[in-house]
Amino acid sequence: MDFIKALTFIPEDPRWKEKVAIGSALALLSFLFIPFIITIGYCVRLTQNMRDGKQFPLPEWDDWSGDLVRGFKLGVVGFIWALPLILVSIPTSVGGMMTDSDSGLATTLGIIILVGASCLTIFYGIFMTLMTPGFVIWFARDEEIRSGLQLSEIFQWTREHVTDVILFMLAYIIASIVISTVAGIAGVLLCIVGLIVTVPVATFVTYVYQFNLLGQIAYKDSAGRVYYQPVMAPASVGDNPDSVE
């Protein structure tokens, strides 16, 4: 993966300012949920464009309804993958209540349940984190919910690409910290009010960075080589290899 290219590809796009501005506006309104879903759907298209080797993979904002649908579908996939965590929260709550009991036996059982449930939560959380790149890439293949739920196939894919998955996770964490820190400092230097601009921009750029890296992994799967798509200058007539002398 080219971790630097996942950021520098943005200004290479002739319309990057407009695209980032719209994405940042949606990030600012992400608390309304619908803008967040649309942004995720848009980022799925970014992954698809990267996978297909497009010269300018940052999509146009020209498919709002489609982005809403694909973002919602990916949200459903993520929710289903997270269901075990939600189910484990039930015994965690029960164990927590039992530890407040006046009965020594109930308190002991509550501690055992609480510790066991906490361990399950940690282990499954790690498992889901490792599986997330796989189910996003598999969903992006045909935008079908069932594709993102192919447990055995995605698990096998994750095992075969565990190095890429771990590098992706580390790069995403580091980039998130760096981007948010830079945005925070810039916002403060702009008299605090600038945070209204810098924080949404940082949020959108972080999404783009994440899904760009996923697209690079998908590209390597399909093309068999590391992604690199240089910005090409328009070819003249004389440079056309198909032109007739």
Side-chain angles (χ1 to χ4, degrees):
M1 284 179 286
D2 191 332
F3 304 109
I4 303 301
K5 189 72 174 180
L7 279 179
T8 59
F9 88 101
I10 297 176
E12 291 175 353
D13 190 305
R15 286 178 38 80
W16 73 273
K17 293 179 181 178
E18 295 90 335
K19 295 176 182 179
V20 171
I22 295 173
S24 301
L26 288 174
L28 180 63
L29 300 173
S30 60
F31 64 92
L32 297 175
F33 188 66
I34 295 298
F36 170 73
I37 293 298
I38 292 175
T39 303
I40 295 302
Y42 174 87
C43 288
V44 170
R45 284 199 287 145
L46 167 60
T47 294
Q48 293 169 335
N49 288 346
M50 289 292 300
R51 175 200 64 199
D52 298 338
K54 297 289 183 66
Q55 182 178 354
F56 301 119
L58 199 62
E60 293 286 345
W61 288 98
D62 56 1
D63 190 16
W64 294 81
S65 59
D67 288 338
L68 178 62
V69 171
R70 64 178 60 92
F72 177 78
K73 286 183 177 180
L74 183 56
V76 171
V77 172
F79 175 77
I80 294 175
W81 276 94
L83 271 178
L85 290 177
I86 299 172
L87 295 176
V88 169
S89 68
I90 297 175
T92 301
S93 301
V94 173
M97 290 186 292
M98 291 178 68
T99 57
D100 294 331
S101 173
D102 294 331
S103 171
L105 178 60
T107 299
T108 302
L109 288 175
I111 293 174
I112 294 174
I113 293 173
L114 193 59
V115 171
S118 298
C119 290
L120 286 175
T121 299
I122 293 172
F123 286 132
Y124 188 78
I126 295 173
F127 172 76
M128 182 177 172
T129 299
L130 292 174
M131 297 289 279
T132 297
F135 76 64
V136 172
I137 291 173
W138 279 69
F139 169 78
R141 290 181 173 184
D142 55 11
E143 300 178 11
E144 293 292 338
I145 292 176
R146 64 175 180 272
S147 296
L149 300 175
Q150 302 299 315
L151 176 58
S152 60
E153 296 179 10
I154 294 174
F155 179 74
Q156 180 63 32
W157 181 91
T158 302
R159 287 184 57 191
E160 295 172 355
H161 296 76
V162 67
T163 301
D164 285 334
V165 169
I166 293 175
L167 288 175
F168 161 77
M169 291 298 176
L170 292 175
Y172 172 65
I173 292 171
I174 294 172
S176 298
I177 294 173
V178 172
I179 293 172
S180 61
T181 300
V182 172
I185 294 174
V188 171
L189 292 177
L190 293 174
C191 303
I192 306 297
V193 180
L195 290 171
I196 299 177
V197 175
T198 59
V199 172
V201 170
T203 301
F204 178 68
V205 170
T206 302
Y207 289 151
V208 167
Y209 185 81
Q210 176 185 9
F211 282 83
N212 179 289
L213 291 180
L214 292 175
Q216 289 190 41
I217 297 174
Y219 178 86
K220 187 167 73 171
D221 272 355
S222 61
R225 60 183 184 273
V226 176
Y227 181 89
Y228 178 69
Q229 188 70 33
V231 177
M232 304 296 292
S236 64
V237 176
D239 295 333
N240 185 354
D242 296 329
S243 60
V244 179
E245 295 292 341

